[in-house]
Amino acid sequence: MITANKYFRDTFGHKMYKASISMNVTCPNRDGSKGTGGCIFCSEGGSGEFSASGCSISSQIERAVSQVRSKAGDNAGYIAYFQSFTNTYCLPDVLEKALSEASSAVGIEAVSIATRPDCLGPEILEVLAGQARKMPLFVELGLQTASDETAEFINRCYKTAEYADAVKSLKEIGANVITHIIFGLPGETHDMMMDTVRLAVDAGSDGYKFTCLYVLENTPLADLYRDNKVEILGQEEYFDIVEEAIGLLPEDAVVHRFTGDGPKKILIAPEWTKNKRQVVNYINRRFGL
Ligand code: SF4
């Protein structure tokens, strides 16, 4: 396992920071084309509460870069990060224009785009292939679970088989694939969680973003949690799972995230994720980072 920091330093020669961007897109299981209401854990911001939406892509990048520049210093690069909702759920020319604007912004050395495996049709793949020829392209796929049963419960609205096909197509065009996996989804056993990791490894995912399930305000999951129908993992319990998952990864797999941190303003649980500094220290200690 390689940490994202090490991977970026080795690949780009310096530290890389993300500049989050919001595109004017939604998601097929929000707008009714596949489903409504979204995944049960997904907030109104489409899992991307931190970006400055509502202005042009270049100004969003400019703003994001200026926010971290004092910390980052001059010897750093930036990744244009299309984070919220499903960023390939748009017309190919809209995507092409957005990618072109993002990748020509000052300081941008790579692009990362979050999407779903079922939103990667041939024309979209062609646009992504063009982008991958220009600079490193990371595509983040929200798998969350390998179980179609759990997927139905969380309202993911695509079949697991589509994930492996998407990874294959993305690797063919030269994209670096990062898979999002959630541990602690309702009804999931320990073996099911490990099966999810094995599926992603077998599919050929390059990187991984793990997170514990967290409960945000105004989501269907929040209602289930308040009705005591969902159990949330404790810190030790969650990182025991992460440690075992890491043991299943190939040596060159990159772990981009050991756990997520939900936006504090709308985070209901788990309590332990609220103290980010404590969690980071715990991760560094436990995983020797
Ligand atoms: S696919 Fe992504 S953006 Fe859409 S509802 Fe699920 S988590 Fe949210």
Side-chain angles (χ1 to χ4, degrees), residues 27 29-30 38-39 41-43 46-47 84-86 116 144 156:
C27 164
N29 58 352
R30 282 184 173 274
C39 301
F41 50 81
C42 184
S43 61
S47 301
S84 323
F85 298 110
T86 301
R116 295 162 51 94
Q144 327 305 4
R156 192 186 65 183

Side-chain angles (χ1 to χ4, degrees), residues 25-228:
V25 288
T26 177
C27 164
N29 58 352
R30 282 184 173 274
D31 72 358
S33 80
K34 285 266 175 102
T36 52
C39 301
I40 61 168
F41 50 81
C42 184
S43 61
E44 284 157 356
S47 301
E49 266 68 23
F50 306 108
S51 54
S53 55
C55 48
S56 73
I57 284 172
S58 44
S59 4
Q60 288 184 56
I61 292 179
E62 215 171 287
R63 192 184 303 185
V65 168
S66 72
Q67 276 167 1
V68 288
R69 196 183 291 285
S70 57
K71 178 172 106 181
D74 290 336
N75 190 21
Y78 296 89
I79 302 171
Y81 183 29
F82 293 81
Q83 180 181 16
S84 323
F85 298 110
T86 301
N87 293 285
T88 59
Y89 190 48
C90 57
L91 291 170
D93 59 332
V94 172
L95 179 64
E96 191 165 21
K97 197 168 163 282
L99 289 171
S100 159
E101 189 174 342
S103 51
S104 52
V106 177
I108 295 299
E109 295 179 26
V111 169
S112 187
I113 185 155
T115 188
R116 295 162 51 94
D118 57 345
C119 293
L120 292 164
E123 291 179 340
I124 291 289
L125 281 171
E126 217 176 290
V127 172
L128 294 178
Q131 180 60 37
R133 284 192 289 273
K134 285 193 220 157
M135 62 172 58
L137 173 71
F138 299 87
V139 179
E140 303 195 5
L141 295 177
L143 171 64
Q144 327 305 4
T145 175
S147 158
D148 277 328
E149 203 179 312
T150 309
E152 200 174 325
F153 185 81
I154 65 171
N155 198 34
R156 192 186 65 183
C157 297
Y158 75 80
K159 292 283 182 201
T160 294
E162 292 174 77
Y163 162 79
D165 292 345
V167 176
K168 187 168 177 283
S169 307
L170 287 168
K171 293 192 66 113
E172 277 167 10
I173 60 154
N176 183 299
V177 179
I178 300 172
T179 301
H180 289 218
I181 294 175
I182 299 179
F183 294 134
L185 286 168
E188 290 239 317
T189 62
H190 177 270
D191 286 350
M192 289 165 84
M193 296 183 237
M194 294 307 125
D195 281 348
T196 300
V197 178
R198 281 188 206 97
L199 178 99
V201 169
D202 291 347
S205 182
D206 302 288
Y208 296 82
K209 280 193 170 180
F210 299 121
T211 189
C212 62
L213 178 68
Y214 49 82
V215 185
L216 301 178
E217 286 291 359
N218 300 319
T219 60
L221 185 63
D223 298 336
L224 291 171
Y225 179 72
R226 289 193 171 110
D227 291 344
N228 291 320

Side-chain angles (χ1 to χ4, degrees), residues 247-270:
L248 299 176
L249 304 182
E251 269 180 20
D252 61 348
V254 181
V255 175
H256 290 265
R257 189 175 68 191
F258 287 75
T259 191
D261 54 330
K264 263 193 186 161
K265 271 191 197 153
I266 54 168
L267 180 67
I268 300 173

